[in-house]
mmCIF file of all heavy atoms in Angstrom:
data_model
loop_
_atom_site.group_PDB
_atom_site.id
_atom_site.type_symbol
_atom_site.label_atom_id
_atom_site.label_comp_id
_atom_site.label_asym_id
_atom_site.label_seq_id
_atom_site.Cartn_x
_atom_site.Cartn_y
_atom_site.Cartn_z
ATOM 1 N N GLN A 1 -11.794 -6.659 -4.600
ATOM 2 C CA GLN A 1 -11.951 -7.698 -3.578
ATOM 3 C C GLN A 1 -13.190 -8.542 -3.858
ATOM 4 O O GLN A 1 -13.146 -9.782 -3.779
ATOM 5 C CB GLN A 1 -12.044 -7.052 -2.203
ATOM 6 C CG GLN A 1 -12.088 -8.042 -1.045
ATOM 7 C CD GLN A 1 -12.152 -7.325 0.295
ATOM 8 O OE1 GLN A 1 -13.073 -6.542 0.551
ATOM 9 N NE2 GLN A 1 -11.161 -7.568 1.144
ATOM 10 N N ARG A 2 -14.300 -7.894 -4.204
ATOM 11 C CA ARG A 2 -15.523 -8.633 -4.527
ATOM 12 C C ARG A 2 -15.306 -9.533 -5.734
ATOM 13 O O ARG A 2 -15.841 -10.644 -5.787
ATOM 14 C CB ARG A 2 -16.687 -7.666 -4.804
ATOM 15 C CG ARG A 2 -17.208 -6.929 -3.616
ATOM 16 C CD ARG A 2 -18.564 -6.301 -3.891
ATOM 17 N NE ARG A 2 -18.558 -5.428 -5.057
ATOM 18 C CZ ARG A 2 -18.221 -4.141 -5.026
ATOM 19 N NH1 ARG A 2 -17.828 -3.587 -3.889
ATOM 20 N NH2 ARG A 2 -18.262 -3.421 -6.130
ATOM 21 N N TRP A 3 -14.525 -9.060 -6.683
ATOM 22 C CA TRP A 3 -14.290 -9.811 -7.904
ATOM 23 C C TRP A 3 -13.344 -10.984 -7.667
ATOM 24 O O TRP A 3 -13.379 -11.963 -8.419
ATOM 25 C CB TRP A 3 -13.741 -8.877 -8.985
ATOM 26 C CG TRP A 3 -13.659 -9.508 -10.335
ATOM 27 C CD1 TRP A 3 -14.683 -9.727 -11.218
ATOM 28 C CD2 TRP A 3 -12.485 -10.023 -10.954
ATOM 29 N NE1 TRP A 3 -14.220 -10.336 -12.360
ATOM 30 C CE2 TRP A 3 -12.860 -10.533 -12.217
ATOM 31 C CE3 TRP A 3 -11.140 -10.098 -10.575
ATOM 32 C CZ2 TRP A 3 -11.957 -11.109 -13.098
ATOM 33 C CZ3 TRP A 3 -10.235 -10.664 -11.450
ATOM 34 C CH2 TRP A 3 -10.643 -11.162 -12.696
ATOM 35 N N GLY A 4 -12.522 -10.897 -6.642
ATOM 36 C CA GLY A 4 -11.700 -12.047 -6.300
ATOM 37 C C GLY A 4 -10.201 -11.877 -6.391
ATOM 38 O O GLY A 4 -9.466 -12.872 -6.264
ATOM 39 N N ILE A 5 -9.699 -10.648 -6.594
ATOM 40 C CA ILE A 5 -8.249 -10.454 -6.565
ATOM 41 C C ILE A 5 -7.759 -10.679 -5.139
ATOM 42 O O ILE A 5 -8.276 -10.089 -4.186
ATOM 43 C CB ILE A 5 -7.868 -9.058 -7.085
ATOM 44 C CG1 ILE A 5 -8.182 -8.970 -8.582
ATOM 45 C CG2 ILE A 5 -6.381 -8.761 -6.827
ATOM 46 C CD1 ILE A 5 -7.825 -7.652 -9.214
ATOM 47 N N HIS A 6 -6.756 -11.527 -4.993
ATOM 48 C CA HIS A 6 -6.374 -12.017 -3.673
ATOM 49 C C HIS A 6 -5.566 -11.006 -2.862
ATOM 50 O O HIS A 6 -5.827 -10.799 -1.676
ATOM 51 C CB HIS A 6 -5.573 -13.310 -3.814
ATOM 52 C CG HIS A 6 -5.271 -13.965 -2.508
ATOM 53 N ND1 HIS A 6 -6.247 -14.528 -1.715
ATOM 54 C CD2 HIS A 6 -4.095 -14.146 -1.842
ATOM 55 C CE1 HIS A 6 -5.694 -15.034 -0.624
ATOM 56 N NE2 HIS A 6 -4.387 -14.807 -0.679
ATOM 57 N N TYR A 7 -4.595 -10.366 -3.497
ATOM 58 C CA TYR A 7 -3.707 -9.458 -2.769
ATOM 59 C C TYR A 7 -4.081 -8.006 -3.084
ATOM 60 O O TYR A 7 -4.101 -7.602 -4.252
ATOM 61 C CB TYR A 7 -2.247 -9.711 -3.144
ATOM 62 C CG TYR A 7 -1.758 -11.093 -2.767
ATOM 63 C CD1 TYR A 7 -1.736 -12.120 -3.715
ATOM 64 C CD2 TYR A 7 -1.330 -11.384 -1.473
ATOM 65 C CE1 TYR A 7 -1.295 -13.388 -3.377
ATOM 66 C CE2 TYR A 7 -0.895 -12.653 -1.122
ATOM 67 C CZ TYR A 7 -0.880 -13.650 -2.074
ATOM 68 O OH TYR A 7 -0.441 -14.911 -1.747
ATOM 69 N N LEU A 8 -4.362 -7.248 -2.044
ATOM 70 C CA LEU A 8 -4.806 -5.861 -2.200
ATOM 71 C C LEU A 8 -4.004 -4.968 -1.262
ATOM 72 O O LEU A 8 -3.790 -5.305 -0.094
ATOM 73 C CB LEU A 8 -6.293 -5.744 -1.876
ATOM 74 C CG LEU A 8 -7.236 -6.618 -2.725
ATOM 75 C CD1 LEU A 8 -8.602 -6.703 -2.073
ATOM 76 C CD2 LEU A 8 -7.351 -6.053 -4.137
ATOM 77 N N LEU A 9 -3.595 -3.818 -1.780
ATOM 78 C CA LEU A 9 -2.761 -2.906 -1.000
ATOM 79 C C LEU A 9 -3.190 -1.472 -1.284
ATOM 80 O O LEU A 9 -3.314 -1.070 -2.447
ATOM 81 C CB LEU A 9 -1.294 -3.106 -1.378
ATOM 82 C CG LEU A 9 -0.229 -2.509 -0.461
ATOM 83 C CD1 LEU A 9 -0.307 -3.142 0.923
ATOM 84 C CD2 LEU A 9 1.148 -2.723 -1.068
ATOM 85 N N ALA A 10 -3.412 -0.699 -0.217
ATOM 86 C CA ALA A 10 -3.843 0.692 -0.352
ATOM 87 C C ALA A 10 -2.655 1.640 -0.218
ATOM 88 O O ALA A 10 -1.633 1.304 0.376
ATOM 89 C CB ALA A 10 -4.891 1.023 0.711
ATOM 90 N N ILE A 11 -2.816 2.830 -0.780
ATOM 91 C CA ILE A 11 -1.835 3.902 -0.640
ATOM 92 C C ILE A 11 -2.369 4.901 0.383
ATOM 93 O O ILE A 11 -3.459 5.455 0.217
ATOM 94 C CB ILE A 11 -1.574 4.602 -1.990
ATOM 95 C CG1 ILE A 11 -0.976 3.623 -2.998
ATOM 96 C CG2 ILE A 11 -0.662 5.817 -1.796
ATOM 97 C CD1 ILE A 11 0.425 3.136 -2.656
ATOM 98 N N HIS A 12 -1.587 5.143 1.428
ATOM 99 C CA HIS A 12 -2.031 6.044 2.494
ATOM 100 C C HIS A 12 -1.777 7.522 2.189
ATOM 101 O O HIS A 12 -2.419 8.389 2.775
ATOM 102 C CB HIS A 12 -1.314 5.716 3.805
ATOM 103 C CG HIS A 12 -1.704 4.399 4.396
ATOM 104 N ND1 HIS A 12 -3.010 3.968 4.469
ATOM 105 C CD2 HIS A 12 -0.958 3.415 4.972
ATOM 106 C CE1 HIS A 12 -3.057 2.780 5.056
ATOM 107 N NE2 HIS A 12 -1.825 2.423 5.357
ATOM 108 N N HIS A 13 -0.831 7.825 1.295
ATOM 109 C CA HIS A 13 -0.433 9.219 1.087
ATOM 110 C C HIS A 13 -0.397 9.551 -0.408
ATOM 111 O O HIS A 13 0.676 9.811 -0.968
ATOM 112 C CB HIS A 13 0.941 9.456 1.721
ATOM 113 C CG HIS A 13 1.195 10.889 2.057
ATOM 114 N ND1 HIS A 13 2.337 11.308 2.683
ATOM 115 C CD2 HIS A 13 0.454 12.017 1.858
ATOM 116 C CE1 HIS A 13 2.298 12.613 2.844
ATOM 117 N NE2 HIS A 13 1.170 13.072 2.361
ATOM 118 N N PRO A 14 -1.567 9.559 -1.065
ATOM 119 C CA PRO A 14 -1.599 9.751 -2.520
ATOM 120 C C PRO A 14 -1.216 11.155 -2.973
ATOM 121 O O PRO A 14 -0.679 11.331 -4.059
ATOM 122 C CB PRO A 14 -3.045 9.427 -2.890
ATOM 123 C CG PRO A 14 -3.821 9.658 -1.633
ATOM 124 C CD PRO A 14 -2.905 9.271 -0.516
ATOM 125 N N ASP A 15 -1.510 12.168 -2.143
ATOM 126 C CA ASP A 15 -1.243 13.570 -2.485
ATOM 127 C C ASP A 15 -0.178 14.102 -1.538
ATOM 128 O O ASP A 15 -0.401 14.209 -0.328
ATOM 129 C CB ASP A 15 -2.541 14.381 -2.361
ATOM 130 C CG ASP A 15 -2.385 15.839 -2.767
ATOM 131 O OD1 ASP A 15 -1.254 16.367 -2.698
ATOM 132 O OD2 ASP A 15 -3.394 16.462 -3.137
ATOM 133 N N SER A 16 0.980 14.466 -2.087
ATOM 134 C CA SER A 16 2.103 14.904 -1.252
ATOM 135 C C SER A 16 1.817 16.211 -0.513
ATOM 136 O O SER A 16 2.500 16.528 0.468
ATOM 137 C CB SER A 16 3.355 15.088 -2.117
ATOM 138 O OG SER A 16 3.158 16.110 -3.091
ATOM 139 N N GLU A 17 0.809 16.967 -0.970
ATOM 140 C CA GLU A 17 0.491 18.254 -0.352
ATOM 141 C C GLU A 17 -0.641 18.148 0.670
ATOM 142 O O GLU A 17 -1.049 19.156 1.249
ATOM 143 C CB GLU A 17 0.099 19.265 -1.440
ATOM 144 C CG GLU A 17 1.184 19.529 -2.465
ATOM 145 C CD GLU A 17 2.408 20.189 -1.850
ATOM 146 O OE1 GLU A 17 2.226 21.104 -1.022
ATOM 147 O OE2 GLU A 17 3.534 19.784 -2.199
ATOM 148 N N ARG A 18 -1.131 16.928 0.898
ATOM 149 C CA ARG A 18 -2.218 16.728 1.864
ATOM 150 C C ARG A 18 -1.807 15.718 2.921
ATOM 151 O O ARG A 18 -0.821 14.996 2.758
ATOM 152 C CB ARG A 18 -3.491 16.252 1.152
ATOM 153 C CG ARG A 18 -4.067 17.263 0.186
ATOM 154 C CD ARG A 18 -5.428 16.806 -0.326
ATOM 155 N NE ARG A 18 -6.060 17.805 -1.157
ATOM 156 C CZ ARG A 18 -7.331 17.772 -1.530
ATOM 157 N NH1 ARG A 18 -8.100 16.759 -1.138
ATOM 158 N NH2 ARG A 18 -7.836 18.733 -2.286
ATOM 159 N N GLU A 19 -2.584 15.674 3.970
ATOM 160 C CA GLU A 19 -2.318 14.725 5.045
ATOM 161 C C GLU A 19 -2.604 13.291 4.565
ATOM 162 O O GLU A 19 -3.468 13.083 3.697
ATOM 163 C CB GLU A 19 -3.193 15.033 6.259
ATOM 164 C CG GLU A 19 -2.828 16.329 6.978
ATOM 165 C CD GLU A 19 -1.426 16.280 7.542
ATOM 166 O OE1 GLU A 19 -1.068 15.277 8.179
ATOM 167 O OE2 GLU A 19 -0.679 17.267 7.341
ATOM 168 N N PRO A 20 -1.888 12.302 5.100
ATOM 169 C CA PRO A 20 -2.165 10.902 4.746
ATOM 170 C C PRO A 20 -3.599 10.517 5.084
ATOM 171 O O PRO A 20 -4.240 11.115 5.943
ATOM 172 C CB PRO A 20 -1.169 10.124 5.608
ATOM 173 C CG PRO A 20 -0.069 11.091 5.896
ATOM 174 C CD PRO A 20 -0.741 12.439 6.010
ATOM 175 N N ILE A 21 -4.089 9.513 4.373
ATOM 176 C CA ILE A 21 -5.441 8.988 4.589
ATOM 177 C C ILE A 21 -5.389 7.882 5.635
ATOM 178 O O ILE A 21 -4.554 6.983 5.564
ATOM 179 C CB ILE A 21 -6.017 8.448 3.274
ATOM 180 C CG1 ILE A 21 -6.144 9.576 2.245
ATOM 181 C CG2 ILE A 21 -7.365 7.767 3.503
ATOM 182 C CD1 ILE A 21 -6.455 9.086 0.846
ATOM 183 N N SER A 22 -6.285 7.945 6.594
ATOM 184 C CA SER A 22 -6.346 6.917 7.638
ATOM 185 C C SER A 22 -7.472 5.939 7.320
ATOM 186 O O SER A 22 -8.625 6.344 7.137
ATOM 187 C CB SER A 22 -6.581 7.577 9.001
ATOM 188 O OG SER A 22 -6.697 6.602 10.003
ATOM 189 N N GLN A 23 -7.125 4.671 7.205
ATOM 190 C CA GLN A 23 -8.127 3.631 6.975
ATOM 191 C C GLN A 23 -7.549 2.308 7.460
ATOM 192 O O GLN A 23 -6.346 2.116 7.468
ATOM 193 C CB GLN A 23 -8.522 3.559 5.499
ATOM 194 C CG GLN A 23 -7.407 3.180 4.541
ATOM 195 C CD GLN A 23 -7.223 1.671 4.378
ATOM 196 O OE1 GLN A 23 -8.187 0.906 4.530
ATOM 197 N NE2 GLN A 23 -5.996 1.240 4.096
ATOM 198 N N ASP A 24 -8.422 1.406 7.882
ATOM 199 C CA ASP A 24 -7.951 0.102 8.353
ATOM 200 C C ASP A 24 -8.653 -1.043 7.629
ATOM 201 O O ASP A 24 -8.613 -2.191 8.056
ATOM 202 C CB ASP A 24 -8.142 -0.040 9.861
ATOM 203 C CG ASP A 24 -9.581 0.189 10.315
ATOM 204 O OD1 ASP A 24 -10.488 0.245 9.438
ATOM 205 O OD2 ASP A 24 -9.801 0.328 11.532
ATOM 206 N N GLN A 25 -9.284 -0.715 6.504
ATOM 207 C CA GLN A 25 -10.007 -1.731 5.737
ATOM 208 C C GLN A 25 -9.058 -2.641 4.961
ATOM 209 O O GLN A 25 -9.301 -3.840 4.821
ATOM 210 C CB GLN A 25 -10.987 -1.054 4.776
ATOM 211 C CG GLN A 25 -11.921 -2.002 4.055
ATOM 212 C CD GLN A 25 -12.955 -1.254 3.230
ATOM 213 O OE1 GLN A 25 -13.064 -0.022 3.302
ATOM 214 N NE2 GLN A 25 -13.733 -1.993 2.456
ATOM 215 N N PHE A 26 -7.970 -2.043 4.452
ATOM 216 C CA PHE A 26 -6.993 -2.787 3.665
ATOM 217 C C PHE A 26 -5.589 -2.499 4.195
ATOM 218 O O PHE A 26 -5.331 -1.410 4.701
ATOM 219 C CB PHE A 26 -7.060 -2.387 2.183
ATOM 220 C CG PHE A 26 -8.361 -2.680 1.515
ATOM 221 C CD1 PHE A 26 -9.327 -1.697 1.375
ATOM 222 C CD2 PHE A 26 -8.631 -3.958 1.029
ATOM 223 C CE1 PHE A 26 -10.534 -1.968 0.754
ATOM 224 C CE2 PHE A 26 -9.834 -4.240 0.413
ATOM 225 C CZ PHE A 26 -10.793 -3.249 0.279
ATOM 226 N N PRO A 27 -4.676 -3.467 4.080
ATOM 227 C CA PRO A 27 -3.290 -3.161 4.397
ATOM 228 C C PRO A 27 -2.797 -2.075 3.443
ATOM 229 O O PRO A 27 -3.266 -1.979 2.301
ATOM 230 C CB PRO A 27 -2.558 -4.483 4.174
ATOM 231 C CG PRO A 27 -3.447 -5.264 3.261
ATOM 232 C CD PRO A 27 -4.848 -4.841 3.590
ATOM 233 N N GLY A 28 -1.868 -1.254 3.916
ATOM 234 C CA GLY A 28 -1.426 -0.160 3.062
ATOM 235 C C GLY A 28 -0.010 0.287 3.351
ATOM 236 O O GLY A 28 0.621 -0.149 4.317
ATOM 237 N N ILE A 29 0.470 1.161 2.483
ATOM 238 C CA ILE A 29 1.806 1.734 2.624
ATOM 239 C C ILE A 29 1.714 3.240 2.389
ATOM 240 O O ILE A 29 0.770 3.729 1.764
ATOM 241 C CB ILE A 29 2.805 1.132 1.606
ATOM 242 C CG1 ILE A 29 2.310 1.345 0.167
ATOM 243 C CG2 ILE A 29 3.062 -0.339 1.895
ATOM 244 C CD1 ILE A 29 3.335 1.022 -0.894
ATOM 245 N N HIS A 30 2.698 3.976 2.897
ATOM 246 C CA HIS A 30 2.813 5.390 2.578
ATOM 247 C C HIS A 30 3.619 5.561 1.295
ATOM 248 O O HIS A 30 3.214 6.277 0.392
ATOM 249 C CB HIS A 30 3.462 6.149 3.737
ATOM 250 C CG HIS A 30 2.548 6.354 4.899
ATOM 251 N ND1 HIS A 30 2.326 5.376 5.839
ATOM 252 C CD2 HIS A 30 1.779 7.418 5.261
ATOM 253 C CE1 HIS A 30 1.459 5.824 6.744
ATOM 254 N NE2 HIS A 30 1.117 7.057 6.408
ATOM 255 N N HIS A 31 4.782 4.890 1.227
ATOM 256 C CA HIS A 31 5.642 5.004 0.056
ATOM 257 C C HIS A 31 6.206 3.633 -0.304
ATOM 258 O O HIS A 31 6.217 2.705 0.513
ATOM 259 C CB HIS A 31 6.764 6.006 0.313
ATOM 260 C CG HIS A 31 6.282 7.386 0.622
ATOM 261 N ND1 HIS A 31 5.406 8.060 -0.188
ATOM 262 C CD2 HIS A 31 6.546 8.212 1.673
ATOM 263 C CE1 HIS A 31 5.146 9.248 0.344
ATOM 264 N NE2 HIS A 31 5.824 9.364 1.464
ATOM 265 N N PHE A 32 6.722 3.523 -1.525
ATOM 266 C CA PHE A 32 7.122 2.221 -2.047
ATOM 267 C C PHE A 32 8.426 1.687 -1.477
ATOM 268 O O PHE A 32 8.749 0.523 -1.702
ATOM 269 C CB PHE A 32 7.189 2.266 -3.577
ATOM 270 C CG PHE A 32 5.841 2.179 -4.223
ATOM 271 C CD1 PHE A 32 5.173 3.326 -4.625
ATOM 272 C CD2 PHE A 32 5.220 0.948 -4.406
ATOM 273 C CE1 PHE A 32 3.921 3.249 -5.213
ATOM 274 C CE2 PHE A 32 3.966 0.863 -4.989
ATOM 275 C CZ PHE A 32 3.325 2.014 -5.388
ATOM 276 N N ASP A 33 9.164 2.503 -0.752
ATOM 277 C CA ASP A 33 10.360 1.960 -0.103
ATOM 278 C C ASP A 33 9.993 0.895 0.922
ATOM 279 O O ASP A 33 10.811 0.038 1.258
ATOM 280 C CB ASP A 33 11.188 3.067 0.542
ATOM 281 C CG ASP A 33 10.400 3.883 1.554
ATOM 282 O OD1 ASP A 33 9.162 3.981 1.424
ATOM 283 O OD2 ASP A 33 11.027 4.437 2.468
ATOM 284 N N GLU A 34 8.741 0.914 1.395
ATOM 285 C CA GLU A 34 8.275 -0.101 2.336
ATOM 286 C C GLU A 34 8.165 -1.468 1.670
ATOM 287 O O GLU A 34 8.176 -2.496 2.352
ATOM 288 C CB GLU A 34 6.920 0.304 2.927
ATOM 289 C CG GLU A 34 6.954 1.610 3.705
ATOM 290 C CD GLU A 34 5.565 2.079 4.101
ATOM 291 O OE1 GLU A 34 4.805 1.268 4.656
ATOM 292 O OE2 GLU A 34 5.242 3.266 3.856
ATOM 293 N N LEU A 35 8.025 -1.486 0.344
ATOM 294 C CA LEU A 35 7.910 -2.750 -0.391
ATOM 295 C C LEU A 35 9.222 -3.192 -1.020
ATOM 296 O O LEU A 35 9.427 -4.384 -1.253
ATOM 297 C CB LEU A 35 6.851 -2.627 -1.489
ATOM 298 C CG LEU A 35 5.405 -2.419 -1.048
ATOM 299 C CD1 LEU A 35 4.505 -2.365 -2.266
ATOM 300 C CD2 LEU A 35 4.960 -3.526 -0.103
ATOM 301 N N ILE A 36 10.095 -2.235 -1.322
ATOM 302 C CA ILE A 36 11.348 -2.582 -1.985
ATOM 303 C C ILE A 36 12.162 -3.547 -1.136
ATOM 304 O O ILE A 36 12.749 -4.507 -1.634
ATOM 305 C CB ILE A 36 12.164 -1.314 -2.307
ATOM 306 C CG1 ILE A 36 11.439 -0.478 -3.357
ATOM 307 C CG2 ILE A 36 13.560 -1.673 -2.811
ATOM 308 C CD1 ILE A 36 12.075 0.870 -3.622
ATOM 309 N N PHE A 37 12.169 -3.324 0.169
ATOM 310 C CA PHE A 37 12.932 -4.199 1.070
ATOM 311 C C PHE A 37 12.421 -5.633 0.985
ATOM 312 O O PHE A 37 13.193 -6.575 0.861
ATOM 313 C CB PHE A 37 12.826 -3.685 2.504
ATOM 314 C CG PHE A 37 13.610 -4.487 3.495
ATOM 315 C CD1 PHE A 37 14.983 -4.321 3.610
ATOM 316 C CD2 PHE A 37 12.985 -5.411 4.320
ATOM 317 C CE1 PHE A 37 15.719 -5.072 4.522
ATOM 318 C CE2 PHE A 37 13.707 -6.161 5.228
ATOM 319 C CZ PHE A 37 15.079 -5.986 5.334
ATOM 320 N N ASP A 38 11.093 -5.801 1.004
ATOM 321 C CA ASP A 38 10.505 -7.142 0.913
ATOM 322 C C ASP A 38 10.839 -7.805 -0.418
ATOM 323 O O ASP A 38 11.180 -8.981 -0.483
ATOM 324 C CB ASP A 38 8.975 -7.073 1.055
ATOM 325 C CG ASP A 38 8.536 -6.669 2.445
ATOM 326 O OD1 ASP A 38 9.347 -6.786 3.380
ATOM 327 O OD2 ASP A 38 7.385 -6.226 2.585
ATOM 328 N N SER A 39 10.731 -7.036 -1.496
ATOM 329 C CA SER A 39 10.969 -7.612 -2.817
ATOM 330 C C SER A 39 12.429 -7.953 -3.023
ATOM 331 O O SER A 39 12.774 -8.947 -3.686
ATOM 332 C CB SER A 39 10.478 -6.655 -3.908
ATOM 333 O OG SER A 39 11.054 -5.393 -3.774
ATOM 334 N N GLN A 40 13.330 -7.163 -2.454
ATOM 335 C CA GLN A 40 14.752 -7.496 -2.558
ATOM 336 C C GLN A 40 15.079 -8.773 -1.772
ATOM 337 O O GLN A 40 15.903 -9.565 -2.201
ATOM 338 C CB GLN A 40 15.590 -6.319 -2.045
ATOM 339 C CG GLN A 40 15.624 -5.154 -3.025
ATOM 340 C CD GLN A 40 16.372 -3.966 -2.509
ATOM 341 O OE1 GLN A 40 16.583 -3.807 -1.297
ATOM 342 N NE2 GLN A 40 16.785 -3.089 -3.409
ATOM 343 N N ASP A 41 14.395 -8.963 -0.645
ATOM 344 C CA ASP A 41 14.551 -10.224 0.095
ATOM 345 C C ASP A 41 14.130 -11.405 -0.770
ATOM 346 O O ASP A 41 14.772 -12.456 -0.783
ATOM 347 C CB ASP A 41 13.691 -10.189 1.373
ATOM 348 C CG ASP A 41 14.388 -9.490 2.515
ATOM 349 O OD1 ASP A 41 15.588 -9.130 2.345
ATOM 350 O OD2 ASP A 41 13.755 -9.262 3.554
ATOM 351 N N ALA A 42 13.011 -11.228 -1.493
ATOM 352 C CA ALA A 42 12.537 -12.300 -2.373
ATOM 353 C C ALA A 42 13.552 -12.594 -3.469
ATOM 354 O O ALA A 42 13.793 -13.760 -3.819
ATOM 355 C CB ALA A 42 11.192 -11.903 -2.985
ATOM 356 N N ALA A 43 14.161 -11.544 -4.009
ATOM 357 C CA ALA A 43 15.162 -11.739 -5.054
ATOM 358 C C ALA A 43 16.371 -12.494 -4.504
ATOM 359 O O ALA A 43 16.929 -13.366 -5.163
ATOM 360 C CB ALA A 43 15.587 -10.390 -5.616
ATOM 361 N N ASP A 44 16.767 -12.178 -3.276
ATOM 362 C CA ASP A 44 17.901 -12.849 -2.651
ATOM 363 C C ASP A 44 17.619 -14.332 -2.447
ATOM 364 O O ASP A 44 18.488 -15.181 -2.655
ATOM 365 C CB ASP A 44 18.246 -12.202 -1.310
ATOM 366 C CG ASP A 44 18.804 -10.792 -1.480
ATOM 367 O OD1 ASP A 44 19.267 -10.478 -2.596
ATOM 368 O OD2 ASP A 44 18.772 -10.022 -0.506
#
């Protein structure tokens, strides 16, 4: 972010054997199915 990359996305659940990480500094997702829907809309 300091360097200037415009779009940033965090992963909330990096370790499947641990509890998800709670943070509100960056937008985030738990799993990539949350993005597939958006990207398929773009393809359409």
Side-chain angles (χ1 to χ4, degrees):
Q1 185 179 58
R2 290 195 305 274
W3 189 78
I5 292 181
H6 186 68
Y7 297 97
L8 302 165
L9 194 62
I11 297 293
H12 292 316
H13 203 177
D15 183 335
S16 63
E17 300 295 318
R18 296 188 175 193
E19 291 298 313
I21 298 169
S22 178
Q23 63 86 28
D24 56 12
Q25 188 174 353
F26 298 97
I29 58 169
H30 285 81
H31 300 307
F32 282 97
D33 57 333
E34 299 172 50
L35 294 182
I36 293 173
F37 182 79
D38 292 341
S39 55
Q40 286 177 340
D41 276 354
D44 292 340

